[in-house]
Amino acid sequence: QVQLVESGGGSVQSGGSLRLSCVASGKTGAATCMSWFRQRPGKEREAVATIGTGGHADYSDSVKGRFTISIDNAKNSLFLEMNSLQPEDTGMYYCAARFFSVAYRGSCYAYLDKANVDYWGQGTQVTVSS
């Protein structure tokens, strides 16, 4: 089994920054696509960004240019640097992953779809005040 544990959420003012972290443990396989999703109040869970072992990242249009996703393969860790935060970024942020038994280095774009994710973390709350 795999466990994903997020950290780094908190409360900031509009225009501020936060850095989220996620550590994966257990049978993580030879490669991965890892993603950040968020669930804003009253809305469905939505994709934020995804990245794979090969390092290629994809972003949702709503965060492009403000958020940066990164991965540390050696430490099974995923990060999300969030800048220029706005009140509409408020929500619960979830780490998600798909692990591969082979050395997959392709695009992880498909893992912006929550239906393709195998594992989820418990979430970390981000609150942005105006």
Side-chain angles (χ1 to χ4, degrees):
Q1 270 292 0
V2 172
Q3 281 193 321
L4 303 176
V5 179
E6 303 98 333
S7 62
S11 297
V12 295
Q13 291 191 326
S14 181
S17 299
L18 282 173
R19 187 176 191 243
L20 305 184
S21 300
C22 171
V23 179
S25 60
K27 292 186 177 181
T28 54
T32 184
C33 286
M34 296 187 77
S35 307
W36 288 101
F37 288 78
R38 67 184 180 187
Q39 189 157 12
R40 296 184 282 181
K43 298 194 176 183
E44 291 189 1
R45 194 172 297 190
E46 61 180 352
V48 173
T50 188
I51 190 168
T53 302
H56 179 75
D58 288 292
Y59 298 89
S60 69
D61 288 342
S62 62
V63 305
K64 205 172 289 185
R66 299 187 299 124
F67 292 9
T68 302
I69 190 171
S70 60
I71 191 169
D72 183 334
N73 294 309
K75 297 182 179 178
N76 287 332
S77 295
L78 179 72
F79 306 97
L80 186 69
E81 187 76 36
M82 305 186 294
N83 297 315
S84 301
L85 283 162
Q86 300 300 316
E88 54 265 34
D89 293 313
T90 293
M92 188 71 79
Y93 283 68
Y94 297 91
C95 174
R98 171 76 180 269
F99 295 99
F100 303 94
S101 59
V102 296
Y104 179 75
R105 294 293 186 271
S107 170
C108 290
Y109 186 81
Y111 302 96
L112 288 172
D113 183 344
K114 56 184 180 285
N116 295 330
V117 169
D118 290 335
Y119 299 98
W120 293 91
Q122 292 299 306
T124 185
Q125 178 67 35
V126 171
T127 303
V128 185
S129 57
S130 57

